[in-house]
Amino acid sequence: KKGFVADGKREMARRIQVLDRIAGGRENEFYRMAASEGSKEVREPALFAVRHDMSNLSLLLDYQKTEKGKCKEAAMQALS
């Protein structure tokens, strides 16, 4: 997480993917922050990563309705 920039590009998205695999649901607040403040490329893996915590259900439903493209797909996959 050190040096993470929410509005970054592909390298920041990869950091979230790695963190998701290593930490799972323990970093829920970080994923939520990245999903709300991140660029489109960062939002996609962050939305998928919030699937670990059931308290994110309403957040995912909102993103599923408002997002388009890959971010919407990530929210739908997280819901499933």
Side-chain angles (χ1 to χ4, degrees), residues 9-45:
K9 297 290 181 192
R10 186 166 228 73
E11 65 275 2
M12 295 301 147
R14 298 238 189 244
R15 286 186 186 204
I16 292 178
Q17 290 172 334
V18 170
L19 192 60
D20 180 26
R21 297 239 176 165
I22 294 171
R26 293 180 302 220
E27 293 294 334
N28 187 55
E29 290 304 314
F30 179 74
Y31 304 143
R32 288 177 65 104
M33 179 276 303
S36 66
E37 299 175 13
S39 65
K40 181 181 176 182
E41 290 178 335
V42 171
R43 250 191 340 265
E44 180 186 349

Side-chain angles (χ1 to χ4, degrees), residues 54-71:
M54 290 302 292
S55 67
N56 296 323
L57 182 61
S58 62
L59 174 80
L60 286 169
L61 288 171
D62 289 341
Y63 275 112
Q64 184 264 329
K65 291 176 186 174
T66 59
E67 291 292 330
K68 295 179 182 177
K70 291 183 179 184
C71 291

